C-alpha cells in the first residue's frame, strides 16, 4: 500500500498476482480495477493523483468498478 498526498485518495495498492490496482478513498474504499503496472506507477507518482484520476481513470471502461468522486482540482 502506497500513501499518496490527495484530499480524495488516501492510498493505492497494487496486487502483483491479480494485476489489479485498488485505491482507498478518504471516505471509502474502491473495488479492484483492471489496470497495468505502468498505470499504477504513473498514478502513485503523479504530481496530483486527483488530476490523474480525473484525466486517465474516471470514465474509462474499468472505471465501472469505481465509486464516483466529485471534486475540483
Amino acid at each position: 500500500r502506497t500513501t499518496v498526498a490527495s484530499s480524495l485518495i488516501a492510498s493505492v495498492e497494487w496486487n502483483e498476482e491479480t494485476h489489479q490496482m485498488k485505491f482507498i478513498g478518504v471516505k471509502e474504499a474502491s473495488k479492484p480495477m483492471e489496470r497495468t503496472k505502468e498505470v499504477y506507477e504513473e498514478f502513485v507518482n503523479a504530481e496530483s493523483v486527483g488530476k490523474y484520476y480525473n484525466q486517465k481513470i474516471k470514465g474509462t471502461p474499468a472505471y465501472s468498478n469505481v465509486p464516483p468522486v466529485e471534486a475540483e482540482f
Side-chain angles (χ1 to χ4, degrees):
R1 182 179 286 187
T2 302
T3 302
V4 294
S6 172
S7 60
L8 297 175
I9 301 165
S11 64
V12 184
E13 295 179 9
W14 174 256
N15 185 318
E16 193 67 48
E17 192 174 299
T18 63
H19 297 277
Q20 291 182 321
M21 181 174 83
K22 178 179 179 182
F23 70 86
I24 310 303
V26 172
K27 295 185 179 181
E28 62 183 277
S30 74
K31 296 177 183 174
M33 297 179 287
E34 296 294 331
R35 297 289 173 195
T36 64
K37 180 77 175 213
E38 180 181 11
V39 169
Y40 167 79
E41 293 292 337
E42 288 176 359
F43 186 59
V44 298
N45 292 306
E47 185 175 320
S48 168
V49 294
K51 284 182 182 178
Y52 188 95
Y53 170 84
N54 284 325
Q55 293 173 356
K56 306 230 178 177
I57 295 175
K58 185 177 177 179
T60 61
Y63 176 74
S64 60
N65 289 334
V66 182
V69 175
E70 298 296 329
E72 295 282 328
F73 290 95

